[in-house]
Amino acid sequence: MCTEYVRDPWLPDRLLTTERDLLMPLLRRTPEEAYANRTACPGWTARQVLAHCGAALVRIVEGRLEEGVFLPEANACDVAEREEWPLGRVLDELERGLSEAGPVIAEREDGRLDAVALGEWVHAGDVREAFGEPGAYCGEALDLALPLLSVTSRKRETPRLVGVLADRGGEVDLGNAVEGRAPARFHGDAATLIRIYSGRPLVRTRYELTGATEQELLIYR
């Protein structure tokens, strides 16, 4: 059974533009050799993750959303197409996408593209981690990402979970109530919660999760 919620159509835009302002200066000043670092995404370097992000967002901007567009095969084709691009062109496309995709996402009344904005923010965390930067999967945009995670977890039909965030001094309510099943409980920091829901590595994290498995909570499968 799904929990009712009211969609904020401009939340993805606020997340994308906030992340643009935080991420792009870091990307522009990072030495090009660092873009060959591997990320949490199997087989992909930081450069390839960013190429995927820019391609996905510009597809939304230009309305090129044919069937299967965000499946792994299509994503791999988009990345391969950009292998010979100069790094500056990859970053320019990403910046354009972060700037222009939000209003297009907002116009979609079904909210089906909202999760793409959250995924872009998670990928920014992948790149920060690959660069050895602090604040992967948290940072200043977290206050926008958490409500979008709440919405996405409901749309992706994960079981209800109440998260007690030690570093935030509060709780988040995620997923959908399941008849006859008590809500799962999470105790830990917000970045670890993001890692669980997005399927990122949990090495060196500390948390308590009861009433659900990590696999049940994945929003990207």
Side-chain angles (χ1 to χ4, degrees), residues 11-59:
L11 178 58
D13 179 64
R14 293 197 298 276
L15 179 59
L16 290 173
T17 55
T18 298
E19 190 56 44
R20 175 200 64 200
D21 294 344
L22 294 169
L23 182 65
M24 294 311 303
L26 168 65
L27 298 181
R28 299 287 187 189
R29 69 173 180 263
T30 297
E32 187 162 350
E33 56 267 25
Y35 285 83
N37 291 354
R38 294 288 169 175
T39 69
C41 303
W44 276 6
T45 64
R47 187 188 195 282
Q48 290 168 322
V49 167
L50 295 169
H52 159 62
C53 288
L57 290 172
V58 170
R59 279 187 174 277

Side-chain angles (χ1 to χ4, degrees), residues 143-179:
D143 286 338
L144 298 168
L146 283 174
L148 195 51
L149 174 63
S150 182
V151 170
T152 304
S153 68
R154 288 173 169 83
K155 297 197 74 159
R156 298 295 170 92
E157 299 184 352
T158 64
R160 187 176 175 220
L161 176 142
V162 176
V164 180
L165 304 181
D167 56 335
R168 309 287 293 175
E171 295 185 353
V172 291
D173 196 333
L174 307 175
N176 304 308
V178 178
E179 187 175 355

Side-chain angles (χ1 to χ4, degrees), residues 203-221:
V203 178
R204 298 194 306 273
T205 61
R206 294 185 180 185
Y207 64 94
E208 295 178 12
L209 176 64
T210 57
T213 66
E214 288 85 353
Q215 187 66 30
E216 288 180 290
L217 302 177
L218 287 175
I219 56 173
Y220 302 115
R221 298 173 185 266

